[in-house]
Amino acid sequence: MSASGGGRAIIAAFLANMGIALAKFVAWFVSGSASMLAEAIHSVADSCNQLLLLFGGRQSRRKADAEHPFGYGRERYVYAFVVSIILFSVGGLFSIYEGVEKLTHPHELENIWVPISVLVISIALESFSLRTAIKESNHVRGSGQSWVSFVRHAKAPELPVVLLEDVAALTGLTFALLGVGLTAITGNSVFDAIGTIMIGTLLVLVAIVLGIETKSLLVGEGATRADQDRIVAAIEGGREIEKIIHIRTLYLGPDELLVAAKLGFASNLSLGEVAADIDRIESRVREAVPIARVIYFEPDIIKPTAAAPPTEQIVLRSED
């Protein structure tokens, strides 16, 4: 996670949420609004989320060792999954519980202008946080990619998580303002309770979306179609091989891609010639896709005729 990309968006979101959470707790204390309590818990959960994302990014930068020979890049996926499932779900379920409690045991709100003022200020701060996340995401999203596609296919989990957090926060604040505002107008605290339940439902839905996307990254995703095409073009860009027998790719982390391929060579090449050809192919792949840092190529012999005797397979491996 670059400090200039996802890190900056995370820090902006963390600072905004800490201030917002404190203001919401004060507003809840003086008014008794269930929506404000739900929003305060929401902001605390968001703040913990950002700390976990920063910690996961730091852990992922550890060097590879004997126990983890491919490094710790997937730590970022693990912490993003924890964020999406545990904290969002806990915050969402707590908000739903609090809303149901206020529906069954309603009470009049006090000093209602305080939560309304806090909600308006919170919307302004969350808008700033979302603006930062959008700005940083645009650096990596690409002009032709939709926001839905970006969230679904991004390999670095931090920016999609922060984006969804901020969108959920703004939507939740709107629900809370609607609930508190209607309660102020009608004097009926049922609207405040309904707003709280809507906030909780929103958090659970966001948790499900993030959980599905981060689970896919944890299980293991291959290169994007564009990177896959570039890798194939780089391998076939010279005259070293007869054909690609098969190719596999896997993200070891958001910034590190493993490429493994079985390549068919002519049967009249010597071992030294095959090794030199593999070095050239590997160099082209790294130039075409810089994140392809771990490369394994297995050469195979393409038999000239079906009647030719079998040739012993040569296995060469090249690793960054």
Side-chain angles (χ1 to χ4, degrees):
M1 176 180 58
S2 72
S4 62
R8 191 151 50 207
I10 292 172
I11 292 171
F14 173 74
L15 294 176
N17 281 317
M18 285 298 293
I20 291 170
L22 180 60
K24 287 175 180 176
F25 274 119
V26 172
W28 162 70
F29 182 77
V30 300
S31 69
S33 169
S35 293
M36 289 308 306
L37 178 59
E39 273 299 306
I41 296 299
H42 183 176
S43 294
V44 170
D46 283 352
S47 300
C48 294
N49 294 346
Q50 280 111 41
L51 287 177
L52 280 173
L53 290 175
L54 288 171
F55 182 73
R58 180 179 178 182
Q59 292 292 98
S60 70
R61 291 192 290 272
R62 289 182 293 170
K63 293 183 178 179
D65 51 33
E67 188 174 357
H68 297 88
F70 289 111
Y72 292 83
R74 289 198 178 188
E75 289 264 10
R76 289 164 70 176
Y77 300 151
V78 172
Y79 285 95
F81 190 75
V82 171
V83 164
S84 62
I85 295 300
I86 298 180
L87 292 180
F88 262 124
S89 297
V90 169
L93 292 175
F94 176 82
S95 298
I96 292 174
Y97 168 79
E98 187 67 20
V100 172
E101 177 68 18
K102 288 300 183 291
L103 274 178
T104 54
H105 301 89
H107 63 80
E108 185 178 351
L109 302 186
E110 301 175 358
N111 300 315
I112 203 164
W113 59 270
V114 176
I116 291 177
S117 300
V118 168
L119 287 170
V120 171
I121 295 172
S122 297
I123 288 174
L125 292 174
E126 285 290 357
S127 298
F128 169 76
S129 176
L130 178 61
R131 179 178 175 273
T132 303
I134 290 174
K135 181 180 178 181
E136 298 302 328
S137 297
N138 281 332
H139 293 321
V140 297
R141 180 171 66 96
S143 58
Q145 188 178 26
S146 68
W147 285 108
V148 173
S149 176
F150 173 71
V151 170
R152 291 195 60 191
H153 301 296
K155 304 306 178 183
E158 292 84 5
L159 284 173
V161 169
V162 173
L163 277 170
L164 286 177
E165 277 185 354
D166 288 343
V167 170
L170 280 172
T171 307
L173 287 167
T174 303
F175 289 161
L177 186 60
L178 185 63
V180 174
L182 288 175
T183 298
I185 294 171
T186 64
N188 189 347
S189 61
V190 169
F191 292 110
D192 181 48
I194 292 174
T196 307
I197 294 173
M198 292 172 67
I199 293 168
T201 304
L202 172 70
L203 288 175
V204 172
L205 290 175
V206 172
I208 292 172
V209 172
L210 283 176
I212 291 172
E213 297 305 322
T214 52
K215 179 188 77 69
S216 178
L217 292 169
L218 276 173
V219 171
E221 289 188 0
T224 62
R225 176 62 62 87
D227 280 346
Q228 179 91 358
D229 291 342
R230 281 191 283 267
I231 291 169
V232 171
I235 294 174
E236 296 176 338
R239 298 186 177 183
E240 296 90 355
I241 67 169
E242 299 290 323
K243 66 175 181 178
I244 298 175
I245 299 174
H246 62 71
I247 183 170
R248 300 288 186 271
T249 59
L250 180 68
Y251 271 91
L252 302 176
D255 305 316
E256 189 171 30
L257 184 66
L258 180 147
V259 178
K262 190 170 186 177
L263 309 177
F265 287 84
S267 60
N268 60 345
L269 296 177
S270 67
L271 179 60
E273 290 173 322
V274 171
D277 287 343
I278 284 179
D279 288 340
R280 283 191 292 271
I281 296 171
E282 180 183 326
S283 178
R284 290 200 302 268
V285 170
R286 294 187 194 281
E287 184 177 355
V289 183
I291 64 171
R293 299 176 184 173
V294 181
I295 299 177
Y296 292 92
F297 287 146
E298 178 185 350
D300 201 355
I301 302 302
I302 300 299
K303 302 174 183 178
T305 63
T311 306
E312 183 179 356
Q313 187 183 81
I314 305 170
V315 178
L316 296 178
R317 290 183 177 176
S318 174
E319 183 175 2
D320 186 20

